[in-house]
């Protein structure tokens, strides 16, 4: 059986109420004890003064006639002989039985105590001082008594304190309920928004409270997670869209050639059909490989990255290439970055492939530093790219109407892959102006302090 409340608000309120009740209960006990002690002490002091005044008069023989009452009946004083007969008393205590049966001994002549009689709610209690006038066996005893206030006798004080504890504990619970409710209000808004977000609409975000507290950080973290999820789902959708769009043509051509060869084997050159099928298969494999790479870029996390000298990586990639174009490099010192080596090699390779495809005679590669960034530029001396098309060339499967159109050997994904890799490494890849003809691709990545 579940006893603990499900809600954090309810649990915190219950805990606050219990703690408040315990603390206030202890305080109430202390207040009760302090009040009782103070009142009883004050009453005892009054009875002591009056009782010792009368006791001194009896002992000195100066007490004549009825005992004078200076307290207007508040304190009852009686002089009692052995046997319990009252020989003298204040007017209010005359014709009354002895206020107490306790008889002080000759060894302890003065006794201070509280004596009660009756049952609740008619119970009465008195603060009494009993004084044995002398040590003689027939010595009289002077009693001075004063009733305790009724609220100390019938439990009214404890009831009032208990009610106060309950009210204050309830007030603490109410305040806790309101404060926790207001504190958790943004959490409920975040939960409700997350519950409404579905795979078909990942553009929605949870509300972000102002400030830097834990709830605001939770909201920002949730929105950052939704951003990453939206990008991942977007990559998957883009992959599906690109695959269905770009794979249809080569698959259709491959199927048509094979069906034609199957239906008319005597009218087709088998070697030519196989060669065409292999060419279409190679293109399909290239497209699928590039699409899968695009889908995986940026999913490895920071643990997949390592310190890399960008200048050394560029030199190694250029020296390993077999190209009909002359590739010029500008000597550079160490240019340390952090990234996934194979992805940066693919990025540089795609830029060099693009430059090699459209360059007239030469390609220039330069690695430098610019402030806190590493710069890698790849420049060809081809016809260049019009400013209006400089962003379009980074789109997937883009075809330009100029001499830079994708030839039959490319997949149309090389520059898109290069930009995705740059962005996954916290950098940028753009086409920038330069004095001569041709296209200049500029990669910027964050520098790191050491390799």
């Amino acid at each position: 059986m579940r006893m603990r409340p499900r809600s954090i608000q309810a649990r915190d309120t219950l805990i606050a109420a219990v703690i408040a009740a315990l603390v206030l209960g202890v305080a109430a006990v202390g207040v009760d004890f302090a009040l009782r002690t103070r009142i009883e002490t004050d009453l005892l002091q009054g009875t002591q003064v009056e009782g010792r005044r009368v006791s001194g008069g009896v002992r000195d023989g100066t007490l004549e006639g009825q005992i004078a009452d200076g307290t207007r009946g508040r304190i009852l004083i009686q002089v009692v002989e052995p046997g319990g007969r009252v020989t003298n008393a204040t007017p209010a205590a005359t014709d009354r039985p002895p206020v107490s049966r306790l008889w002080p001994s000759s060894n302890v002549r003065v006794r201070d105590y509280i004596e009660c009689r009756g049952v609740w709610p008619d119970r009465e209690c008195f603060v009494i001082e009993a004084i044995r006038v002398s040590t003689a066996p027939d010595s009289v005893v002077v009693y001075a008594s004063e009733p305790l206030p009724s609220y100390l006798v019938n439990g009214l004080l404890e009831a009032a304190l208990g009610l106060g504890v309950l009210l204050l504990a309830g007030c603490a619970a109410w305040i806790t309920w309101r404060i926790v409710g207001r504190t958790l209000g943004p959490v409920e808004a975040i939960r409700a928004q997350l519950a409404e977000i579905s795979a078909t609409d990942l553009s929605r975000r949870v509300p972000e409270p102002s400030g830097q507290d834990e709830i605001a950080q939770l909201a920002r973290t949730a929105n950052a997670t939704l951003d990453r999820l939206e990008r991942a789902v977007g990559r998957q959708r883009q992959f599906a869209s690109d695959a269905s769009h770009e794979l249809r043509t080569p698959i259709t051509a491959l199927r048509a050639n094979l069906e034609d060869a199957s239906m008319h084997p005597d009218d087709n050159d088998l070697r030519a059909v196989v060669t065409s099928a292999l060419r279409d298969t190679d293109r399909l494999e290239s497209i699928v490989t590039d699409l899968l790479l695009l889908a995986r870029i940026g999913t490895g996390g920071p643990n997949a990255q390592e310190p890399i000298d960008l200048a050394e990586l560029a030199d190694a990639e250029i020296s390993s290439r077999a190209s009909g174009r002359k590739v010029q490099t500008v000597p550079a010192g160490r240019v340390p970055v952090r990234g996934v080596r194979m992805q940066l090699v693919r990025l540089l390779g795609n830029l060099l492939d693009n430059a090699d495809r459209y360059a007239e005679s030469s390609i220039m590669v330069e690695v430098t530093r610019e402030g806190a960034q590493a710069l890698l530029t790849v420049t060809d001396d081809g016809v260049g790219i019009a400013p209006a098309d400089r962003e379009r060339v980074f789109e997937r499967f883009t075809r330009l109407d100029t001499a830079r159109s994708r030839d039959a050997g490319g997949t149309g994904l090389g520059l898109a892959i290069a930009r995705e890799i740059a962005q996954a490494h916290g950098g940028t890849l753009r086409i920038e102006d330069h004095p001569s003809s041709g296209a200049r691709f500029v990669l910027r990545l964050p520098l790191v302090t050491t390799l």
Side-chain angles (χ1 to χ4, degrees):
M1 182 176 180
R2 184 184 180 91
M3 300 298 294
R4 188 177 66 172
R6 294 177 180 272
S7 166
I8 293 178
Q9 185 178 13
R11 288 203 298 269
D12 288 351
T13 301
L14 179 61
I15 292 172
V18 171
I19 292 176
L22 291 175
V23 173
L24 293 172
V26 172
V29 171
V31 169
D32 181 73
F33 178 78
L35 283 176
R36 284 183 173 277
T37 302
R38 180 60 184 271
I39 293 172
E40 290 172 1
T41 300
D42 291 343
L43 294 178
L44 181 61
Q45 288 177 350
T47 58
Q48 286 176 341
V49 170
E50 293 299 320
R52 293 175 186 183
R53 175 180 65 82
V54 173
S55 173
V58 172
R59 186 171 51 253
D60 299 339
T62 58
L63 182 65
E64 296 180 356
Q66 189 176 29
I67 301 172
D69 186 1
T71 64
R72 298 180 180 180
R74 180 171 54 85
I75 298 177
L76 305 178
I77 302 176
Q78 293 177 331
V79 179
V80 182
E81 292 181 344
R85 188 173 71 89
V86 179
T87 60
N88 200 350
T90 56
T94 304
D95 299 329
R96 294 184 60 173
V99 296
S100 176
R101 296 295 182 183
L102 188 147
W103 196 267
S105 65
S106 58
N107 294 328
V108 183
R109 295 176 49 237
V110 180
R111 299 285 300 273
D112 297 318
Y113 55 95
I114 295 176
E115 188 172 281
C116 299
R117 61 177 67 96
V119 295
W120 189 89
D122 299 324
R123 185 178 176 82
E124 292 181 322
C125 293
F126 299 86
V127 176
I128 300 174
E129 177 166 88
I131 304 174
R132 186 185 181 101
V133 174
S134 68
T135 59
D138 58 350
S139 172
V140 298
V141 174
V142 176
Y143 292 98
S145 69
E146 184 173 359
L148 284 173
S150 60
Y151 59 83
L152 294 183
V153 178
N154 56 19
L156 182 61
L157 175 62
E158 286 74 14
L161 291 174
L163 181 61
V165 168
L166 292 178
L167 291 176
L168 291 176
C171 183
W174 180 80
I175 293 173
T176 303
W177 177 271
R178 294 296 302 272
I179 292 176
V180 174
R182 293 187 60 182
T183 302
L184 295 179
V187 176
E188 174 59 23
I190 292 171
R191 186 206 63 77
Q193 187 72 358
L194 285 174
E196 294 178 2
I197 294 175
S198 63
T200 57
D201 183 16
L202 292 173
S203 62
R204 302 174 64 175
R205 295 294 180 267
V206 301
E208 293 188 10
S210 59
Q212 298 296 326
D213 58 16
E214 292 81 356
I215 296 178
Q217 294 177 13
L218 171 64
R220 284 191 284 271
T221 302
N223 283 335
T225 302
L226 289 173
D227 288 338
R228 292 192 297 270
L229 180 60
E230 184 179 18
R231 287 195 297 268
V233 173
R235 283 195 297 268
Q236 292 179 353
R237 290 173 179 170
Q238 185 69 43
F239 173 83
S241 175
D242 292 342
S244 62
H245 180 268
E246 289 297 321
L247 296 179
R248 184 178 295 113
T249 299
I251 290 176
T252 301
L254 177 60
R255 182 179 183 85
N257 289 335
L258 292 176
E259 286 180 349
D260 184 61
S262 176
M263 295 173 62
H264 309 286
D266 296 333
D267 297 337
N268 289 276
D269 184 352
L270 181 59
R271 183 179 295 277
V273 171
V274 172
T275 301
S276 176
L278 287 174
R279 184 168 58 250
D280 289 337
T281 302
D282 289 341
R283 178 165 175 75
L284 286 171
E285 183 179 6
S286 298
I287 292 174
V288 171
T289 300
D290 286 348
L291 287 175
L292 290 175
L293 176 60
L294 277 170
R296 289 196 302 265
I297 290 174
T299 61
N303 293 333
Q305 298 184 355
E306 59 178 306
I308 299 170
D309 186 346
L310 189 60
E312 179 183 336
L313 182 143
D315 290 339
E317 178 64 16
I318 292 170
S319 62
S320 64
R321 292 177 62 86
S323 173
R325 304 288 190 272
K326 179 181 180 182
V327 180
Q328 300 177 357
T329 60
V330 177
R334 294 164 65 86
V335 183
V337 297
R338 186 174 182 83
V340 181
R341 180 177 295 274
M342 294 307 299
Q343 291 187 7
L344 293 179
V345 168
R346 181 63 183 271
L347 186 156
L348 179 58
N350 288 358
L351 294 181
L352 291 174
D353 288 342
N354 182 79
D356 186 63
R357 186 174 301 151
Y358 301 111
E360 292 292 338
S361 60
S362 65
I363 301 170
M364 174 69 71
V365 178
E366 182 179 5
V367 181
T368 59
R369 294 173 179 238
E370 185 181 85
Q373 291 183 321
L375 264 67
L376 183 146
T377 60
V378 178
T379 308
D380 64 64
D381 59 354
V383 296
I385 301 176
D389 295 327
R390 289 182 178 178
E391 284 299 315
R392 287 185 58 213
V393 298
F394 292 107
E395 297 176 2
R396 302 179 184 192
F397 307 110
T398 297
R399 293 175 174 84
L400 301 180
D401 294 333
T402 66
R404 298 192 68 93
S405 295
R406 186 185 69 195
D407 61 8
T411 64
L413 295 171
L415 294 181
I417 291 173
R419 172 166 277 189
E420 289 281 348
I421 293 173
Q423 292 175 347
H425 286 73
T428 60
L429 178 61
R430 295 187 179 92
I431 300 175
E432 298 183 357
D433 295 327
H434 70 108
S436 59
S437 63
R440 184 187 189 203
F441 290 80
V442 180
L443 169 67
R444 287 181 169 85
L445 294 175
L447 280 171
V448 296
T449 54
T450 57
L451 283 178

